[in-house]
Amino acid sequence: MENSKRLAVLGATGSIGRQTLDIVSRSDGRYNAVVLTAGSRVDELIELASKHRPRLAIIAREDLLPRLRQALQPLGIATAAGTKALAECVEADDIDMVVTATVGYSGLEPTLRAIDTGKDIALANKETLVVAGDLVNSRLGRSKSRIFPVDSEHSAVAQCLAGENHADIYRLLITASGGPFRTWPADRIAKATANDALKHPNWNMGRKITIDSATMLNKAFEIIEAYHLFGVPAERISAVVHPQSIVHSMVEFTDGAVKAQLGLPDMRLPIAYALGENTRFEGAEKHLSLEDYSSLTFEKPDPVRFPCLTLAHLALEKGGNTACIINAANEIAVAAFLEGKITFGDIYPIIEQTLIKTPFISAPVYDDYVATNSEARAHAAEIVKSLLN
Ligand code: NAD
Ligand code: MG
């Protein structure tokens, strides 16, 4: 189609990637996926590429390239593999918008390259802003590229800010479901299994973010994300627990007015709002019936049972590479927890100890983030190992 917006969908086989492609399918040609990438789920990538017919499909794991090529070559779809191909693919002239739906630190380099080549970004990969939000913002300042948030809370804030003046913002209220352990006592949380933690009450998401929701580090990350996206001081961003996940976040203004965005917990709404550069997409499958909810409730989060929550303000107060260290330690800890090597209660202390062991850098440049990420991972891995003995 002539005026179709051409997308590179990074992490196409994941929860956000698939929902993005669902919107592409239902967009009557308004969107078109020209590049699809994935980590290791090659069969799923083949299935999606066969359906969406991108120009290029890339798999992170190089040993899976022959299989990808064999399946897609007959369809005239180019294939590639490896980290370099994943980062470079966003630079092509035929891409209008990059959807960053990979998980973890891997999102950073492609996002920076997309910014440097002036591509718009629909940003799901919050870790990019957590790890290096200052760097991302300084690169954005020199680029025509714009970031549209996909995370539901940040999309809600963007929707509340439509038509408002930035100077009138009093504070941002980021809602949190509270996760599967909201009502559990501390001793039970400490012993929770991966199965317990993977049962999110309201959202069906990838495994890593589901564990982050259970520790509530996800909410700490979202506070950091909001700080970098909206330029609101850290002390004016807070989390509020809202177990029904119907109010997706709120903005309070200086006159006392509070605006909220409500909707069913369906990520396709914020994804479509981002793809449309903060405009509405017709075609919701289901509409919210508020009369089905006898009450919408709000509570204060509990930093004692969920200490990871405190890491947002610690990271923003200290600045520098602090959040990068937290993210790296968490990626190692979550992977170890999912493999059954450590307990749920070990995750926070691993992050805490990694913060002590990894040198603080107050004004990191790109190479410092790369080095911090590797160093903090190595420290966290050592700590995990010491827990096994
Ligand atoms: P997911 O695990 O379902 O999917 C991750 C995708 O990234 C997969 O396609 C996987 O193949 C790919 N991938 C993994 N490692 C990779 C690597 N090293 N290089 C390249 N690709 C790699 O995750 P998800 O739930 O879709 O989350 C994606 C991002 O969106 C995360 O940053 C998450 O925090 C954020 N997010 C997700 C949701 C949600 O509802 N799922 C909501 C808000 C934000
Ligand atoms: Mg979110």
Side-chain angles (χ1 to χ4, degrees), residues 30 103 139-140 233 260 312 319:
R30 181 172 165 196
V103 61
R139 300 270 186 109
L140 275 175

Side-chain angles (χ1 to χ4, degrees), residues 126 151-153 222:
K126 67 189 84 185
D151 214 348
S152 56
E153 295 76 5
E222 291 183 352

Side-chain angles (χ1 to χ4, degrees), residues 212-242:
D212 291 348
S213 300
T215 59
M216 293 196 78
L217 184 61
N218 181 52
K219 217 37 66 177
F221 281 177
E222 291 183 352
I223 290 176
I224 299 172
E225 184 185 7
Y227 166 82
H228 291 296
L229 282 173
F230 302 109
V232 173
E235 63 276 13
R236 289 182 183 265
I237 311 175
S238 41
V240 55
V241 174
H242 166 51

